[in-house]
Amino acid sequence: AKEDGRGTYRFFEAGMDARAQARRLLELDLRAALQRAEFEVYYQPIRDVAKDVVVAFEALARWNHSLRGMISPANFIPLAEETGLIVPIGEWVLRQACIDAAQWPRDVGVAVNLSPVQFKNPNLVQTVKQALKASGLPAHRLELEITESVLLQNSEATLSVLHELRAFGVRISLDDFGTGYSSLSYLRSFPFDKIKIDRSFVTELATREDSMAIVRAVTGLGKSLGIVTTAEGVETDAQFDLLRREGCTQAQGYLFSPPRPAAEVESMLSSARAQ
Ligand code: C2E
Ligand code: CA
Ligand code: CA
Ligand code: CA
């Protein structure tokens, strides 16, 4: 078993050839998908808890495969990262998300996920600036979501990229907060605009006191540091009520809406919260 660095294990002993071959096929497919423009961006609303309105959408990649239908990012992002294909795919998502957001009827934010691999590309800052310029989207409407693993690698270079982006007006969010190692020290290493509380804590909010205590601590931390807190994966009214009571700033999850195609953004903006 070989650890892939995300705490999961992939087994290479049995059926190595079949697996390696399937992987090679997927890689070829992934390259072709870029050429054939088979990727799509779906959008999931993020709501302000106190105001109860949509304030942003998270852009989430989908692969609309000609034979296999819609493929979730969990099934192609890891390979895209291993092969470096995440760089052109991520750039495409970023450019498309900026183009889409610039057309929206309200000036809500758009949040785009950045892979640690994209930070190895020396052109990242230029790519972001170009995406904003080409779309006409003001920098303050773009949020870039990174996980703390980004800060683990070559942190000097990474920090200077993040500072440059933030100086340009782009907001930076710390994604999947609480799932890594020394999360608190990352909050000191960079002035994040937002902390996204990982779904695993939100899921157990109403059923486990320790998860409740962690969410309370993180929202409190956000308040004292002046950082927006967003709860991910909110599925029930009970969870939402607890988050509101704790003063969590924003909420995102199936309770409000799953990620949907770009064409449905307008209806997600106008419709009241799903009951
Ligand atoms: P993430 O950034 O943590 O995104 C949130 C994921 O949680 C999304 O899965 C979303 O559909 C899902 N989700 C939202 N609300 C709920 C809920 O209430 N319950 C449950 N069970 N799930 C919920 P998705 O779209 O499958 O994306 C999975 C991951 O793939 C993302 O996790 C992100 O790490 C990665 N990803 C997606 N698009 C991109 C991209 O363009 N670039 C990069 N680098 N990574 C991406
Ligand atoms: Ca994210
Ligand atoms: Ca997340
Ligand atoms: Ca996640």
Side-chain angles (χ1 to χ4, degrees), residues 45-275:
I46 301 174
R47 299 186 75 92
D48 183 285
V49 173
K51 299 189 189 118
D52 207 24
V53 290
V54 174
V55 288
F57 287 90
E58 180 171 2
L60 294 154
R62 297 289 181 269
W63 178 6
N64 195 353
H65 192 281
S66 50
L67 301 173
R68 292 193 282 162
M70 208 57 92
I71 302 178
S72 113
N75 294 321
F76 67 87
I77 298 278
L79 183 67
E81 289 180 329
E82 282 172 46
T83 55
L85 284 169
I86 192 64
V87 173
I89 294 171
E91 278 185 27
W92 182 83
V93 171
L94 173 71
R95 276 190 258 114
Q96 191 60 46
C98 290
I99 290 168
D100 288 344
Q103 317 287 320
W104 293 342
R106 277 182 30 217
D107 59 353
V108 294
V110 63
V112 176
N113 293 283
L114 285 188
S115 159
V117 178
Q118 291 176 269
F119 279 82
K120 292 180 183 146
N121 180 351
N123 295 323
L124 180 58
V125 173
Q126 219 32 54
T127 301
V128 173
K129 288 181 178 177
Q130 272 164 11
L132 289 169
K133 195 173 170 210
S135 62
L137 187 77
H140 70 88
R141 286 182 58 196
L142 179 63
E143 303 171 13
L144 297 175
E145 299 194 357
I146 65 164
T147 56
E148 61 183 35
S149 59
V150 167
L151 295 169
L152 275 171
Q153 63 181 24
N154 192 7
S155 66
E156 282 298 302
T158 301
L159 284 175
S160 84
V161 167
L162 290 175
H163 279 291
E164 204 178 330
L165 289 169
R166 199 161 182 273
F168 195 65
V170 173
R171 293 161 206 255
I172 311 289
S173 306
L174 187 52
D175 203 356
D176 299 343
F177 189 77
T179 56
Y181 293 98
S182 47
S183 308
L184 292 179
S185 70
Y186 294 112
L187 291 179
R188 225 176 30 179
S189 68
F190 185 77
F192 287 96
D193 298 285
K194 186 188 276 194
I195 297 170
K196 298 194 79 174
I197 305 170
D198 191 69
R199 172 159 63 87
S200 56
F201 301 106
V202 176
T203 302
E204 302 173 333
L205 205 52
T207 51
R208 279 187 60 162
E209 275 183 29
D210 49 1
S211 290
M212 183 70 228
I214 289 166
V215 169
R216 177 173 295 150
V218 177
T219 52
L221 198 61
K223 275 182 232 166
S224 32
L225 294 173
I227 303 176
V228 169
T229 47
T230 304
E232 301 188 297
V234 182
E235 295 183 350
T236 69
D237 281 309
Q239 290 162 358
F240 185 58
D241 289 342
L242 289 168
L243 290 162
R244 183 164 40 203
R245 205 180 310 160
E246 292 310 322
C248 187
T249 329
Q250 300 177 343
Q252 174 181 6
Y254 294 168
L255 176 64
F256 313 110
S257 173
R260 292 193 204 279
E264 291 173 43
V265 161
E266 279 201 44
S267 68
M268 288 190 275
L269 272 173
S270 55
S271 73
R273 181 155 81 83
Q275 294 302 304

